[in-house]
Amino acid sequence: MPKGKALVALARSILTIIWHLLSDPAARYTDLGTDFYASRVDTSRKTRSLIHQLDALGHKVTLTPAETA
């Protein structure tokens, strides 16, 4: 995406948030935190996806469970 187009998309997102906050007096902004998306990752789905990617690159994958300390 060109830089200008990305800036316009970001500005539009920010303006949409501002509009929603100003149009509803009861609305409050809640920061989701830095690890919001990382904590929502389905580990089994991510594992299957990574195995598939490695298979597509020609690697044979064998998984062994890691020992927990």
Side-chain angles (χ1 to χ4, degrees), residues 6-55:
L7 288 174
V8 170
L10 178 63
R12 184 183 186 282
S13 296
I14 292 171
L15 286 174
T16 302
I17 292 169
I18 291 171
W19 182 84
H20 282 286
L21 288 173
L22 293 177
S23 66
D24 182 9
R28 297 291 178 254
Y29 175 76
T30 304
D31 189 9
L32 299 176
T34 57
D35 66 339
F36 177 74
Y37 292 107
S39 66
R40 296 174 53 94
V41 171
D42 180 7
T43 54
S44 61
R45 183 176 181 179
K46 184 69 172 180
T47 302
R48 285 192 311 271
S49 172
L50 292 172
I51 290 171
H52 178 71
Q53 288 178 17
L54 287 169
D55 285 340

